[in-house]
């Protein structure tokens, strides 16, 4: 653990997030004392960008610890790629792809990979951009369609750059490409479905079946305002029953449900579900914990549940998957280069690395998800435990834009009537 | 930072060689100590609270660069938030609104419901906290001091741990129902109801009520009671006239703090109640997550105004009802074994026995369930696998992963630092706010605000104000890492020191202070040598709370601990939550043990009672 110790010391001496500024702005006048830092912000002659606070706009990106008086383009230094992601991608109690990806990438490329996992995930970078503090990462791994919609609504300037020429990108499955502006490149996908305890009951096969008396109080879902499984399930009901024009802004445009009944929308379905005693808890953790304790036999979760159950030697009968109406809501995850990246080329190399067949296989297994490309190398029995629905459902960027907030809010206002 | 000056001054005072200079210096330091501390406290508040919070709250009134009250008006007149009251605010006649309020299908709105459940939770917390205070303050039994130290342990538990403990205790297949069935009693369906949420709130806050009240009760001067008795007052009369007036400001302190906490409750409501019981903070969280800052800030201001209003109302009461005391010799404790089998001796003890049974179900059973979950495997058999996971993660975890030992170490370091900073901050504010002067209410409100602002908003503010920093004259000043974490934790914890210490200080006989001053002691000296020793149990309780707040703090830690080197135990617990709860509960038990030991150490260091 010595490397770790020295890493820690290095960070203390000069906070990581600040190193690049310091190098670019020169150490003169920079203070880094006990976690406080002060640095010159742009005064017009240190680089082209208008925001003025981004000292590394010149793009040399060499963050060495003794970076005084170093010229641009020092090729002798190993460049560092900072990859931002969500925490469970690199640090989960079961498995996570972070460690393998870092080692493998560093062995294949002459680069050092650093993970960054801010608590607010993508919102952290939206905040950074909005406050002019500069983006201190090269790319983000773990973007969803909704993230992109939210980021684009919030920021006038581009947070992410177009992916451009990424080797291996053609292999990404057509149905997963969720960014109409070609910034995010999908690297895996997952499905939100029902998980039920097959030793005590048989889950209904359709949405309508969940309303049967025999399934009263049987389902635990999650708050769509805070949990991604909860939101996916809500979106699935919108796709199934239509939105009744909730987000139409008076232009008469509405999402039509697959059920073919224009007078019955997702809010009607949820009213019936609430009538049938559905539990909507705060987070996936809350819901899965309550389900594990036998509070209810069905929970909204991922279709890969059996992979984990198998890993832990649990009874697979207790971990059955149900795709309502043979469907599940798909949540493809993508990666995109920050517009302000210090190492844009290296970031794109990382993206094509993520799409290589063996890496795709490893990501799928270690993130317990499904590959985004056609030719991923997976063990032949992977599909036995990781189940895919016959008919994946998902909303496009355009469908979500301007609608998803209204859908969630309308649901909240109906469900939490006090 | 201003803190540096204060430290240097203290250094000089301690290091001087020449007696004369030393004495002069000490005098100088002492006479300015109070002012210096007040300046440091204000600086810490501005840097780690006011400025950061303001960067977010301002979004409620400044939208796209223009000042507007529209967002506020929308929130205030929205029946979803304010129920029938919103109709009043949007101009309907008071009579019509009153009629609707009296009708059975009235709407409380989210804000009304949040206040309603907070009131219920406060009542439950006081009901469960008072008997504990009575037991701890008035009776002597083996392990009393340890038990008193451990009372605030529930306070630091992350909500997911409490949720796990509660589901395992009160759930369909929980311990309580198993016990009821065994005794042939009907089962209870407690989970996912308002009752479960209220009990969970009592689990968190009854210890707070108990601890604050115990400290006040222990400061009651025995001689006052004896005087009353010798003047012919019966025990009940002596209690009502002498003891109660000194104890119930503390009960109110506990109640006011409980209201404020449960008014801002968030994860536990959704974990044990469900979304139909959503509180204001649930919406603040969702709005911040969706980057709808204007509405989030407006709601947070509504929360702030209500919480602060309750705190100030209580403070007015406290100021008007402080009673004079020279508290020095605590009341003698009674034995748990009744000295004589009379009804008067037996009744209170029987009541306590009943209370202990209830407390066993509410406090001990969930904690026991938590511990049991940490040693139960996926197949239901006992196992140490989850602890093995912790050891393994410690040994083989990657540099960028959270490992148990650094989490423990950081938690202890931050909590110690935060306590050492919060204590002087709290004492100086307590001293300033027990004086009488114009505008005191304003100072009170300003000092207590950290309790009343939504944690989510403070977290976002710290990100903007500290981590990203401010631009001043072409420089960007930013702060993050360990020091920033300690200051932020101290700011969250110091109001507890104020609230535990200040009722006692206000009640002190002014003549004590005046005679010490007349004898030439500096103000700081009087505080240190006269006033604080007289309210010492409250100081120790305040220190324990400051420590607990720091240990339990999550949001400000993850925001300020950029990089992987400053995470704490609650962060580790959150990180270890997976499909199985084992690893997280094992880390939760580590948190339980480490904080339990720390509380015992703090109270031992603090001593039982200093007296004069």
């Amino acid at each position: 653990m010595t490397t770790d110790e020295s890493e820690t010391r290095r960070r203390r001496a000069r906070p990581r997030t600040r190193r690049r500024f310091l190098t670019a702005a020169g150490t003169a006048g920079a203070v880094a004392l006990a976690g406080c830092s002060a640095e010159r912000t742009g005064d017009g002659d240190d680089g082209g960008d208008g925001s003025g606070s981004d000292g590394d706009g010149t793009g040399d990106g060499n963050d060495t610890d003794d970076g005084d008086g170093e010229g641009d383009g020092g090729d002798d230094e190993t460049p560092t790629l900072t990859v931002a992601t969500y925490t469970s991608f690199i640090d989960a109690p079961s498995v996570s792809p972070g460690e393998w990806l870092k080692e493998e990438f560093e062995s294949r490329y002459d680069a050092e990979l650093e993970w960054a996992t801010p608590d607010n995930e993508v919102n952290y970078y939206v905040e950074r951009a909005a406050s002019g503090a500069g983006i201190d990462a090269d790319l983000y791994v773990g973007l969803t369609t909704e993230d992109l919609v939210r980021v684009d609504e919030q920021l006038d300037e581009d947070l992410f750059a177009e992916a451009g020429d990424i080797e291996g990108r053609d292999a990404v499955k057509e149905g997963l490409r969720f960014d109409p502006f070609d910034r995010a490149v999908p690297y895996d996908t997952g499905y939100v479905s029902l998980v039920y305890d097959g030793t005590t009951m048989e889950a209904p096969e359709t949405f309508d079946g969940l309303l049967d008396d025999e399934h009263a109080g049987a389902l635990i879902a999650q708050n769509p305002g805070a949990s991604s499984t909860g939101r996916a399930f809500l979106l699935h009901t919108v796709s199934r029953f239509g939105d009744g024009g909730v987000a139409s802004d008076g232009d008469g445009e509405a999402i039509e449900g697959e059920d073919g009944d224009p007078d019955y929308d997702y809010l009607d379905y949820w009213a019936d579900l609430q009538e049938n005693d559905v539990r909507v808890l705060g987070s996936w953790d809350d819901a899965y914990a309550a389900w594990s304790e036998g509070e209810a036999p069905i929970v909204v979760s991922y279709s890969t549940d059996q992979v984990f159950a198998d890993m832990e030697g649990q009874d697979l009968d207790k971990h059955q998957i149900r795709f309502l109406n043979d469907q599940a809501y798909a949540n493809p995850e993508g990666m995109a280069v920050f517009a302000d990246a210090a190492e844009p080329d290296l970031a794109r190399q990382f993206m094509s690395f993520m799409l290589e067949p063996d890496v795709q296989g490893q990501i799928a297994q270690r993130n317990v998800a499904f590959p985004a490309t056609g030719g991923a190398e997976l063990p032949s029995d992977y599909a036995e435990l990781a189940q895919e629905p016959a008919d994946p459902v998902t909303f496009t960027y355009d469908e979500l834009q301007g609608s998803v907030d209204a859908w969630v809010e309308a649901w909240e206002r109906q469900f939490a009537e006090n | 930072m201003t803190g540096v000056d204060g430290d240097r001054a203290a250094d000089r005072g301690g290091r001087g060689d020449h007696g004369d200079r030393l004495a002069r210096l000490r005098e100088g330091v002492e006479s300015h100590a109070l002012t210096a501390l007040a300046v440091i406290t204000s600086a810490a508040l501005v840097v780690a609270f006011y400025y950061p919070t303001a960067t977010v709250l301002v979004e409620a009134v400044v939208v796209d660069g223009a000042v507007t009250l529209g967002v506020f008006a929308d929130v205030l007149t929205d029946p979803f938030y304010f129920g029938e009251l919103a109709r009043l605010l949007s101009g309907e006649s008071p009579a019509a609104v009153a009629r609707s309020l009296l009708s059975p299908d009235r709407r409380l709105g989210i804000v009304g419901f949040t206040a309603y459940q907070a009131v219920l939770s406060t009542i439950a917390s006081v009901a469960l906290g008072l008997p504990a205070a009575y037991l701890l303050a008035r009776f002597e039994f083996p392990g009393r001091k340890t038990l008193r130290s451990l009372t605030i342990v529930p306070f630091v538990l992350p909500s997911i741990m409490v949720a796990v403990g509660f589901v395992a205790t009160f759930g369909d297949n929980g311990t309580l129902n198993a016990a009821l069935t065994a005794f042939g009693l009907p089962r209870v369906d407690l989970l996912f109801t308002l009752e479960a949420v209220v009990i969970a709130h009592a689990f968190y806050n009854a210890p707070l009520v108990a601890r604050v009240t115990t400290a006040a009760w222990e400061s009651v001067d025995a001689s006052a009671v004896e005087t009353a008795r010798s003047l012919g007052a019966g025990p009940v009369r002596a209690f009502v006239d002498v003891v109660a007036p000194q104890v119930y400001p503390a009960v109110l302190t506990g109640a006011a703090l409980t209201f404020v906490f449960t008014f801002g409750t968030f994860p536990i409501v959704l974990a044990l109640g469900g979304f139909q019981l959503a509180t204001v903070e649930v919406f603040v969280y969702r709005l911040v997550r969706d980057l709808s800052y204007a509405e989030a800030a407006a709601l947070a201001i509504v929360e702030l105004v209500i919480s602060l209003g309750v705190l100030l109302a209580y403070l007015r009461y406290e100021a008007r009802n402080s009673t004079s005391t020279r508290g020095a010799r605590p009341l003698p404790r009674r034995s748990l074994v009744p000295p004589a089998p009379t009804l008067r001796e037996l009744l209170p003890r029987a009541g306590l026995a009943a209370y202990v049974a209830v407390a066993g179900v509410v406090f001990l059973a969930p904690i026991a369930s938590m511990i049991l979950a940490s040693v139960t495997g996926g197949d239901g058999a006992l196992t140490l696998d989850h602890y093995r996971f912790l050891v393994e993660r410690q040994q083989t975890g990657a540099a960028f992963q959270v490992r148990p030992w650094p989490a423990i170490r950081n938690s202890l370091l931050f909590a110690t630092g935060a306590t050492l900073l919060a204590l002087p901050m709290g004492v100086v504010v307590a001293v300033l706010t027990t004086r009488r002067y114009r505008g005191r209410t304003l100072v009170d409100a300003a000092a207590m605000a950290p309790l009343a602002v939504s944690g989510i908003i403070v977290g976002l503010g710290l990100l903007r104000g500290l981590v990203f920093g401010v631009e001043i004259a072409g420089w960007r000043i930013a702060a993050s890492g360990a020091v920033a974490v300690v200051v932020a934790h101290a700011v969250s914890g110091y109001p507890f020191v104020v609230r535990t210490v200040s009722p006692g200080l206000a009640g002190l006989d002014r003549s004590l202070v005046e005679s010490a001053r007349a004898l030439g002691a500096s103000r700081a000296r009087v505080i240190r040598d006269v006033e604080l020793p007289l309210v010492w149990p409250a100081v120790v309780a305040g220190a324990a709370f400051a420590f607990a707040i720091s240990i339990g703090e999550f949001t400000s830690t993850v925001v300020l601990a950029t990089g992987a080197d400053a995470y704490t135990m609650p962060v580790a617990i959150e990180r270890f939550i997976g499909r199985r709860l084992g690893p997280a509960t094992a880390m939760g038990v580590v948190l339980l043990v480490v904080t339990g030991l720390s509380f015992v150490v703090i109270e031992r260091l603090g001593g039982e009672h200093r007296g004069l």
Side-chain angles (χ1 to χ4, degrees):
Chain A
M1 295 291 103
T2 43
T3 49
D4 171 50
E5 288 295 320
S6 60
E7 169 73 6
T8 305
R9 268 198 300 281
R10 201 155 55 86
R11 282 191 180 156
R12 287 241 173 81
R14 202 187 276 172
R16 180 181 61 80
T17 54
R18 298 293 168 198
R19 263 185 291 150
R20 294 184 185 174
F21 289 129
L22 296 180
T23 317
T27 43
V31 186
L33 178 76
C36 291
S37 66
E39 70 233 358
R40 264 249 190 264
T41 56
D43 45 13
D45 50 2
D46 76 335
D49 75 15
S51 75
S53 60
D54 191 356
D56 56 351
T58 48
D60 70 355
N62 283 309
D63 33 297
T64 54
D65 286 320
D66 52 343
D68 46 328
E70 197 177 326
D72 279 359
D75 289 336
D76 49 328
E77 284 295 331
T78 309
T80 300
L81 181 73
T82 305
V83 182
T85 186
Y86 52 96
T87 53
S88 64
F89 194 77
I90 64 162
D91 191 3
S94 48
V95 285
S96 48
E99 196 168 359
W100 186 88
L101 286 174
K102 176 175 157 71
E103 276 171 18
E104 202 59 29
F105 181 72
E106 288 175 352
S107 78
R108 293 188 199 184
Y109 295 84
D110 181 28
E112 196 189 322
L113 192 159
E114 258 185 37
W115 295 111
T117 54
D119 186 49
N120 318 15
E121 302 179 352
V122 185
N123 285 0
Y124 174 86
Y125 295 100
V126 173
E127 277 291 314
R128 275 204 96 94
S131 71
I135 304 298
D136 60 350
D138 297 301
L139 80 161
Y140 195 91
V141 170
L143 292 169
T144 63
T145 319
E146 280 180 75
D147 287 335
L148 288 178
V149 169
R150 195 173 64 237
V151 167
D152 293 344
E153 263 168 26
Q154 188 72 13
L155 295 175
D156 298 331
E157 284 155 37
D158 290 331
L159 184 60
F160 298 108
E162 266 188 50
D165 200 15
I166 306 281
E167 212 184 312
R169 200 176 144 203
D170 299 338
V172 173
K173 293 174 189 165
E174 192 60 44
L176 295 178
R177 301 179 185 179
F178 61 84
D179 182 3
F181 303 105
D182 276 337
R183 295 158 299 179
V185 177
Y187 61 87
D188 75 3
T189 188
Y191 303 99
V192 174
S193 66
L194 300 187
V195 174
Y196 69 99
D197 180 353
T199 61
T200 61
M201 57 110 55
E202 189 61 28
E205 293 185 351
T206 61
F207 277 99
D208 290 332
L210 276 175
L211 304 177
D212 290 346
D213 288 345
E214 60 169 319
H215 299 308
L219 176 66
I220 303 181
Q222 300 91 6
N223 172 15
S227 145
S228 51
T229 46
R231 192 164 283 203
F233 187 63
L234 182 83
L235 293 177
H236 196 177
T237 60
V238 175
S239 142
R240 180 74 208 156
F241 299 103
D243 76 347
V246 160
S248 69
D249 290 333
D251 58 5
E253 253 178 70
I255 297 275
E256 272 176 43
E258 295 161 355
D259 64 339
D261 182 354
D263 296 326
Y264 189 87
D265 62 29
Y266 79 112
L267 291 174
D268 297 319
Y269 179 72
W270 274 97
D272 289 341
L273 220 95
Q274 195 169 8
E275 191 71 20
N276 211 24
D277 230 3
V278 63
R279 308 280 175 214
V280 179
L281 304 188
S283 63
W284 179 87
D285 303 329
D286 297 338
Y288 203 86
W291 176 78
S292 302
E293 286 284 333
E295 283 305 315
I298 315 177
V299 65
V300 173
S301 188
Y302 298 97
S303 74
T304 46
D305 195 66
Q306 290 195 336
V307 178
F308 289 102
D310 183 59
M311 216 184 290
E312 290 149 18
Q314 288 166 335
D315 181 1
L316 293 187
D317 284 342
K318 289 191 172 183
H319 295 266
Q320 293 292 311
I321 306 299
R322 172 69 74 215
F323 295 121
L324 290 173
N325 301 74
D326 291 325
Q327 296 178 331
Y329 196 84
N331 260 339
E333 295 186 293
M335 51 192 168
V337 185
F338 283 112
D340 263 1
E343 299 280 357
D345 298 335
L346 191 56
R348 289 186 170 86
Q349 282 178 337
F350 179 81
M351 285 164 78
S352 49
F353 160 79
M354 291 277 281
L355 297 176
E356 283 172 36
D358 61 325
V359 180
Q360 275 287 297
Q362 290 294 334
I363 294 173
Q365 290 176 68
R366 290 169 193 269
N367 209 26
V368 196
F370 301 91
T373 62
E377 292 169 16
L378 274 172
S380 54
D381 60 348
Y382 192 70
E384 280 173 27
L385 296 172
Q387 304 182 27
E388 291 189 83
D391 180 15
V393 179
T394 196
F395 281 116
T396 62
Y397 179 99
D398 291 330
E399 287 167 323
L400 289 177
Q401 194 185 31
S403 299
V404 62
D405 287 352
W407 292 338
V408 172
E409 210 177 298
W411 177 90
E412 283 175 342
R413 283 173 178 255
Q414 173 174 303
F415 203 91
E417 184 86 34
N418 256 302
Chain B
M1 285 217 166
T2 346
V4 177
D5 292 332
D7 290 345
R8 224 179 276 139
D11 271 355
R12 266 189 269 128
R15 231 187 293 132
D17 302 320
H18 312 293
D20 259 10
R21 266 181 63 196
L22 181 70
R24 257 208 320 277
L25 262 176
R26 179 181 290 159
E27 216 169 279
V29 169
E30 270 178 7
S31 63
H32 297 294
L34 215 53
T35 320
L37 267 177
V39 171
I40 293 169
T41 304
S42 317
L45 280 172
V46 168
V47 170
F49 178 73
Y50 282 112
Y51 173 71
T53 309
T55 63
V56 185
L57 293 185
V58 74
E59 301 216 13
V61 284
V62 180
V63 179
D64 293 332
V67 178
T68 169
L69 287 175
V71 185
F72 256 117
D74 286 349
V75 166
L76 290 178
T77 53
D78 187 342
F80 178 67
Y81 290 127
F82 280 90
E84 310 294 351
L85 197 61
R87 292 170 44 204
L88 190 69
L89 295 167
S90 50
E92 283 191 43
S93 90
V97 173
R99 264 199 303 283
S100 316
L101 271 175
L102 292 173
S103 83
D105 54 349
R106 66 178 167 268
R107 291 182 63 184
L108 286 173
I110 296 297
V111 175
F113 171 75
T114 306
Y116 169 68
Q117 61 82 30
V119 168
L120 292 183
S121 302
T122 306
I123 293 170
S125 303
V126 171
L128 279 170
L130 274 191
Y134 176 55
L135 176 68
L136 288 169
R138 298 296 300 116
F139 289 87
E140 188 56 87
F141 51 91
R144 176 184 60 82
K145 286 187 210 167
T146 312
L147 187 63
R148 187 186 59 185
S149 316
L150 294 181
T151 35
I152 35 179
V153 163
F155 209 64
V156 302
L157 290 175
S159 64
I160 181 75
M161 292 295 101
V162 177
V164 169
F166 265 62
V167 171
T169 305
F170 300 107
D172 260 357
N173 309 312
T175 330
L176 182 64
N177 274 327
L180 289 173
T181 313
F183 286 105
L185 295 165
R187 298 162 60 85
V188 288
D189 202 4
L190 208 53
L191 269 200
F192 312 126
T193 61
L194 181 57
E195 288 84 347
V197 173
V198 168
I199 296 174
H201 284 160
F203 175 87
Y204 272 116
N205 295 296
L208 169 83
V209 175
R211 193 64 194 82
V212 177
T213 309
T214 307
W217 213 325
E218 285 173 341
S219 301
V220 172
D221 187 9
S223 55
V225 178
E226 282 155 12
T227 311
R229 293 298 301 274
S230 70
L231 292 172
V236 173
R237 181 77 194 271
F239 178 84
V240 171
D241 286 357
V242 181
V243 179
Q246 289 184 54
V247 171
Y248 82 110
V251 179
L252 276 181
T253 306
L257 292 176
T258 301
F259 179 88
V260 169
F261 280 138
T262 51
F263 189 75
T265 185
F266 166 43
I268 201 75
V269 182
L270 293 190
L272 295 175
F275 197 85
Q276 73 282 3
L277 303 177
T279 54
V280 182
E281 192 78 344
V282 170
F283 293 91
V284 173
Y285 179 83
R286 199 270 294 166
L287 290 163
V288 165
R289 192 174 178 268
D290 286 349
L291 306 174
S292 309
Y293 292 137
E295 197 179 342
L299 274 184
I301 291 174
V302 167
E303 281 185 295
L304 171 67
V305 167
I306 293 173
S307 291
L308 214 49
V310 168
L311 282 174
L312 288 182
Y314 145 74
L315 286 171
R316 279 186 81 92
Y317 171 87
E318 183 188 285
R320 255 186 288 122
N321 290 275
S322 64
T323 48
S324 252
T325 170
R326 308 172 75 101
R329 185 165 56 87
L331 293 159
R333 293 170 197 278
R334 294 188 268 167
S335 159
L336 267 186
V337 183
T342 62
L343 191 63
R344 231 187 66 204
E345 294 291 348
L346 283 176
L347 212 56
R349 290 174 175 82
L352 281 178
Y355 169 73
V356 168
V358 173
V361 175
V362 175
F363 300 106
L364 292 186
I367 292 179
S369 303
M370 225 176 288
I371 296 172
L372 190 64
S374 78
V375 290
T376 309
D379 51 359
L382 289 185
T383 173
L384 284 176
D385 275 357
H386 308 315
Y387 292 92
R388 228 165 274 138
F389 165 85
L390 295 185
V391 174
E392 235 166 68
R393 191 43 73 99
Q394 176 62 35
Q395 287 167 344
T396 64
F400 51 79
Q401 292 184 323
V402 165
R403 284 164 299 145
W405 167 242
I408 298 170
R409 184 196 57 207
N410 289 338
S411 274
L412 289 174
L413 283 177
F414 295 164
T416 307
T419 308
L420 291 178
L421 186 55
L423 269 180
M425 282 173 70
V427 167
V428 79
V429 171
V431 169
L432 290 179
T433 52
T434 44
R435 292 181 188 167
R436 282 165 198 282
Y437 49 86
R438 282 169 77 86
R440 195 187 110 170
T441 317
L442 215 63
V443 177
D444 268 335
M448 289 299 117
L451 286 177
V453 177
S454 151
I456 293 155
I457 298 296
V458 175
L460 180 59
L462 289 173
L463 187 65
R464 292 177 173 183
L466 285 188
V467 178
F468 299 161
V470 262
E471 232 178 279
I472 299 171
W475 290 79
R476 183 168 280 274
I477 317 277
S480 63
V483 173
V485 172
V486 166
V487 174
H489 284 190
V491 166
S492 311
Y494 98 94
F496 286 86
V497 181
V498 180
R499 291 278 57 88
T500 50
V501 171
S502 107
L505 281 188
L508 281 186
D509 191 339
R510 295 325 292 169
S511 66
L512 283 174
V513 177
E514 278 149 23
S515 40
R517 292 284 274 158
L519 290 171
S522 68
R523 185 74 188 91
R525 185 98 189 253
V526 175
I527 292 170
R528 199 192 68 198
D529 291 349
V530 180
E531 294 178 83
L532 286 187
L534 286 173
V535 294
W536 196 247
V539 176
V540 177
F545 276 123
F547 194 89
I549 288 286
S550 168
I551 291 267
E553 182 66 55
F554 182 83
T555 312
S556 71
T557 317
V558 286
V559 168
L560 294 171
T562 47
D565 54 346
Y567 49 81
T568 56
M569 288 191 282
V571 179
I573 290 172
E574 197 246 11
R575 204 59 70 83
F576 296 158
I577 294 172
R579 230 174 117 278
R580 299 171 303 154
L581 285 162
T585 47
M587 192 65 213
V589 172
V590 170
L591 170 91
L592 207 66
V593 172
V594 170
T595 44
L597 286 176
S598 310
F599 290 146
V600 172
V601 169
I602 290 173
E603 305 243 354
R604 288 286 142 87
L605 284 179
E608 175 77 348
H609 192 56
R610 267 206 200 155
L612 265 180

